[in-house]
Amino acid sequence: MNPDQLGYYGDYGGRFVSELLMPALIELESAYGKLVKNKEFLKEYRDSLRDFAGRPTGLFWAKNLSEKWNAKIYLKREDLLHTGAHKINNTLGQTILAKWMGKTRVIAETGAGQHGVATATTCARYKIPCTIYMGEEDLRRQALNGFRMKLLGAEVVGVGGKKGTLRDAVSESLRDWAKNIDNTHYVLGSVVGPHPFPMIVREFQSVIGRESRMQILEHEKRLPDAVFACVGGGSNAMGIFYGFLDDENVKLVGVEAAGHGLNTNLHSAKLSKGMPGIFQGSLSYVLQDNSGMISDVHSISAGLDYPGVGPEHAYLKDTKRAHYESVTDKEALDAFQELSETEGIIPALESSHAIASTKKWIKKYNKSGSSPLVIINLSGRGDKDVAEVQRLLDL
């Protein structure tokens, strides 16, 4: 589904920004609308996805896990992309877009650091200086990614104090952009923020779903019973969901971070526990108190501890085309270890939430006497998380 002219998906989306940012958003919308019809731009993007990022990614039959869980499970291997996650699909598109728009500087926010690394990587590739904003707490948890960004030539700026996370990084990026709109493009990393960002990011990530649909038909001669993906802001989930939105018999499941539990204040489950509200440029589900103040959030995964979610996810929730579950820190840690031991694949903690939710869903499905066919979007690899998991498990 595409948004209406004002950037709304049903009741959600829009542009809620200062007047300073409106010219930049209008310029971006106009440029994107023209360039996605430009054959040379599209060729440069598609060639870069293939030759630089490493697409297409495989759809891997997880035979050992399938036998263990009594299902047929496929993993969409976005973890095998250059930089280790799905983020480069979007950063390549937006960095090339910035180049064609004549922008000489790029900024970005990052949570777990994967978007920051991908942005720094593509900016190095296209010789564009970049500044990455990252919460201080996320920099602690993801010190390796912080160093990788610097190694790639980016300026890395910690924000938000000792508890700073993705929310603080987005806010600082928007402030920077408002001051430097003439020469700077903001490579927003998820399907959040003001229009046209949710649409642009989803379009660049939709390659995941298009490939997955073709691949599962090649492997199994039929569509899956369900597709699972983790949801922070929601880009990897929208990317894979988009290939199956018109297939009503395919269940789409987004998995949020339940943290210490939904009955606590230490979670990031905005679609399960949030309310509609305006946050960082758009109207969507947001974790907030009764006064509308944005709540503090928590997840073991730096990429999921964000109080908002993309407006298209809010629309899919309300229309019941997608379903949203949640997984605790402990369940995600268990899934992290189980996939590592069972298949020899170390997943990102973000992706581990999707794995844990799939396991619970399969147990319910098996009670009907059937064995389901499932795709899990393995949105990133877990190298970045190993030190933090070691600390938490004291291994």
Side-chain angles (χ1 to χ4, degrees):
M1 175 183 177
N2 285 321
D4 65 20
Q5 290 185 340
L6 296 177
Y8 282 86
Y9 302 86
D11 294 331
Y12 304 99
R15 287 181 180 140
F16 296 88
V17 296
S18 73
E19 292 181 2
L20 291 173
L21 283 177
M22 286 301 291
L25 291 168
I26 292 169
E27 178 192 23
L28 176 61
E29 182 181 13
S30 175
Y32 175 78
K34 293 174 182 176
L35 288 173
V36 291
K37 300 173 185 176
N38 184 305
K39 292 182 180 179
E40 292 183 15
F41 171 82
L42 292 175
K43 183 179 187 303
E44 183 174 1
Y45 174 55
R46 290 166 181 162
D47 287 352
S48 295
L49 282 179
R50 182 193 65 219
D51 300 332
F52 187 65
R55 300 212 73 91
T57 59
L59 189 68
F60 170 71
W61 174 34
K63 183 175 183 291
N64 298 337
L65 201 64
S66 296
E67 292 174 353
K68 188 174 182 181
W69 290 0
N70 189 25
K72 194 148 196 183
I73 302 165
Y74 282 87
L75 305 177
K76 182 55 173 165
R77 297 295 307 275
E78 296 299 288
D79 60 312
L80 295 181
L81 282 172
H82 182 36
T83 73
H86 72 291
K87 293 293 188 178
I88 200 168
N89 300 322
N90 172 49
T91 64
L92 266 176
Q94 287 205 55
T95 302
I96 296 170
L97 181 63
K99 185 190 76 167
W100 278 68
M101 290 175 67
K103 301 299 181 180
T104 58
R105 176 176 177 260
V106 156
I107 59 172
E109 89 298 330
T110 194
Q114 288 302 117
H115 175 60
V117 169
T119 302
T121 298
T122 53
C123 283
R125 168 71 178 80
Y126 288 97
K127 299 181 180 179
I128 301 177
C130 71
T131 299
I132 312 294
Y133 293 100
M134 189 170 183
E136 292 282 5
E137 168 62 7
D138 291 341
L139 271 170
R140 181 197 68 77
R141 290 189 289 185
Q142 301 293 340
L144 176 60
N145 274 346
F147 177 70
R148 289 171 74 195
M149 287 182 271
K150 293 177 183 178
L151 189 63
L152 290 158
E155 177 188 13
V156 181
V157 181
V159 297
K162 292 183 178 179
K163 294 185 178 180
T165 60
L166 180 58
R167 158 187 171 182
D168 304 286
V170 172
S171 295
E172 195 60 40
S173 297
L174 288 169
R175 281 192 284 269
D176 183 320
W177 198 30
K179 296 176 185 176
N180 300 287
I181 59 174
D182 289 339
N183 72 329
T184 298
H185 175 63
Y186 176 19
V187 179
L188 208 160
S190 194
V191 288
V192 298
H195 177 68
F197 279 115
M199 176 184 69
I200 289 174
V201 177
R202 179 255 284 159
E203 284 300 303
F204 285 141
Q205 293 294 359
S206 65
V207 63
I208 306 171
R210 293 196 302 272
E211 284 182 6
S212 297
R213 194 178 191 281
M214 290 189 293
Q215 289 167 328
I216 197 68
L217 288 172
E218 289 173 1
H219 287 307
E220 296 292 331
K221 311 303 180 189
R222 74 177 183 95
L223 294 174
D225 296 300
V227 174
F228 286 78
C230 63
V231 176
S235 66
N236 91 90
M238 277 311 311
I240 195 165
F241 287 178
Y242 213 66
F244 301 93
L245 277 180
D246 294 333
D247 303 304
E248 295 184 1
N249 291 329
V250 178
K251 187 179 183 70
L252 304 177
V253 185
V255 188
E256 301 186 289
H260 291 188
L262 295 184
N263 59 340
T264 73
N265 292 323
L266 296 172
H267 64 78
S268 301
K270 45 270 176 177
L271 288 161
S272 300
K273 302 292 285 187
M275 299 179 289
I278 295 168
F279 179 59
Q280 293 183 333
S282 70
L283 173 61
S284 187
Y285 278 89
V286 183
L287 287 170
Q288 56 189 309
D289 63 22
N290 291 331
S291 300
M293 298 297 292
I294 304 302
S295 302
D296 290 332
V297 294
H298 163 78
S299 171
I300 192 174
S301 165
L304 300 184
D305 58 354
Y306 183 65
V309 70
E312 196 167 2
H313 280 295
Y315 172 78
L316 293 178
K317 169 187 165 65
D318 282 7
T319 58
K320 296 181 169 51
R321 178 59 192 97
H323 304 268
Y324 295 88
E325 306 293 340
S326 58
V327 162
T328 65
D329 287 350
K330 184 182 184 308
E331 290 171 325
L333 269 175
D334 290 345
F336 180 93
Q337 294 174 89
E338 186 166 12
L339 187 68
S340 300
E341 295 170 357
T342 306
E343 290 291 353
I345 298 171
I346 302 175
L349 280 172
E350 291 84 0
S351 310
S352 300
H353 286 71
I355 296 163
S357 184
T358 304
K359 182 178 184 178
K360 291 193 290 185
W361 182 81
I362 287 172
K363 285 182 178 179
K364 294 177 183 177
Y365 196 101
N366 287 157
K367 290 181 180 179
S368 67
S370 301
S371 178
L373 174 62
V374 176
I375 297 175
I376 304 172
N377 194 23
L378 199 65
S379 57
R381 62 175 177 250
D383 306 43
K384 67 183 178 59
D385 297 310
V386 169
E388 180 69 0
V389 170
Q390 182 181 30
R391 183 186 71 82
L392 291 167
L393 297 177
D394 196 27
L395 291 176

